[in-house]
Amino acid sequence: MDELKAQEAVFLQTLLSRHHDPLLLTRCACGKHNRKIGCSDCLDSELLCRQCWLDKHRTMPTHWALIWNATDKFFEKSDFCRVRKNAVIGLGHHGQRCRDAELGRTFTLVDSNGIHATALAFCRCPTADGQRGAPEFQQLLRTGIFPGSIKEPETGYMLGVLEYYRQLRSQGKGSAYNFVHVLRRMADPFFMGSVPVCLSITWTNTGGKSQCMWKRHASSACRSHLVASPDQ
């Protein structure tokens, strides 16, 4: 502890230096635009222009973008699809948008680093049975997103956050209420009202199987989703 106390000023100065980057507003490596966007989740992230940032994060859409606010002079936290107009998360093509895709659909995506207001573009490539793409819920599952509903899903949960909550309940008996509020604060610790949805989670045990109940509360609807999980 004494060693840490002796380096307190260095720790503080180094952590504060993370909010400044000498590459800010210099030309991006692509040579087309200036560097304005960093990432709060990448290790030692490099400032990039909008398009390069999107290209780098095609398969990491829940990383928070840090966009330079030229008016107020600070880096503003933002979702993937707010980095650039019409930016969407493409399914079925390793992060790229399907050439036959329709317009992006507003989608709420929940991960361990918060609740994201984003947009998805589903794959519409013809299938062997003549359909325009696989069922949407199946496309989400293949991507690693658990759908909030079978028909026209508007909410999804990264498999990692579901497993994290399952382990939390198994090991620490953590409160579902507190877990939801942590997710909301991870998205925005100061203005939680701006977070797109409010989730509540309850666990039940039916027939020897644990089940997780996620409830999505929106301004116009309240839906419940039942997810079966392995025995604990």
Side-chain angles (χ1 to χ4, degrees):
M1 181 59 71
D2 291 338
E3 291 180 354
L4 180 62
K5 186 68 175 179
Q7 299 297 329
E8 181 179 0
V10 177
F11 269 74
L12 181 60
Q13 183 178 4
T14 304
L15 289 173
L16 288 175
S17 70
R18 288 170 49 83
H19 297 275
H20 168 73
D21 195 312
L23 293 178
L24 179 63
L25 301 181
T26 62
R27 212 63 171 171
C28 185
C30 67
K32 298 179 180 179
H33 307 285
N34 290 341
R35 302 173 187 264
K36 296 181 179 180
I37 307 179
C39 179
S40 68
D41 297 286
C42 286
L43 182 66
D44 196 19
S45 66
E46 176 186 13
L47 280 186
L48 300 169
C49 69
R50 293 179 184 273
Q51 189 58 53
C52 287
W53 194 96
L54 289 172
D55 291 341
K56 182 178 179 180
H57 290 83
R58 293 291 179 192
T59 57
M60 299 176 285
T62 59
H63 281 202
W64 291 107
L66 300 175
I67 304 177
W68 178 247
N69 185 320
T71 302
D72 297 321
K73 308 298 182 183
F74 75 103
F75 285 99
E76 189 171 5
K77 190 175 178 181
S78 181
D79 282 299
F80 178 93
C81 292
R82 297 182 183 179
V83 170
R84 191 171 188 175
K85 186 178 180 180
N86 297 325
V88 296
I89 300 170
L91 300 185
H93 297 270
H94 306 292
Q96 298 297 323
R97 183 170 184 161
C98 175
R99 63 181 182 181
D100 296 322
E102 301 160 347
L103 293 176
R105 178 190 303 172
T106 301
F107 195 84
T108 300
L109 185 57
V110 183
D111 202 353
S112 57
N113 66 348
I115 303 172
H116 300 259
T118 187
L120 297 183
F122 290 91
C123 175
R124 297 305 181 196
C125 292
T127 61
D129 58 358
Q131 300 297 316
R132 295 187 65 241
E136 293 177 352
F137 77 91
Q138 190 175 16
Q139 291 189 43
L140 290 170
L141 287 171
R142 287 173 177 170
T143 306
I145 301 172
F146 197 98
S149 62
I150 298 299
K151 185 178 180 181
E152 297 184 355
E154 297 178 354
T155 305
Y157 313 94
M158 298 299 294
L159 297 182
V161 73
L162 293 178
E163 176 61 17
Y164 179 77
Y165 179 69
R166 190 181 76 86
Q167 293 292 346
L168 185 67
R169 286 283 298 177
S170 175
Q171 301 298 322
K173 308 301 180 185
S175 162
Y177 178 87
N178 289 338
F179 184 73
V180 169
H181 276 267
V182 167
L183 290 177
R184 297 185 70 199
R185 286 186 176 278
M186 291 295 287
D188 193 327
F190 304 108
F191 302 99
M192 288 197 298
S194 65
V195 179
V197 296
C198 176
L199 303 172
S200 63
I201 313 167
T202 57
W203 283 80
T204 60
N205 193 292
T206 305
K209 286 192 174 182
S210 298
Q211 295 179 315
C212 173
M213 178 78 78
W214 293 78
K215 294 183 179 179
R216 176 176 181 268
H217 301 282
S219 57
S220 60
C222 178
R223 303 176 183 176
S224 298
H225 312 302
L226 191 62
V227 181
S229 68
D231 294 347
Q232 296 189 44

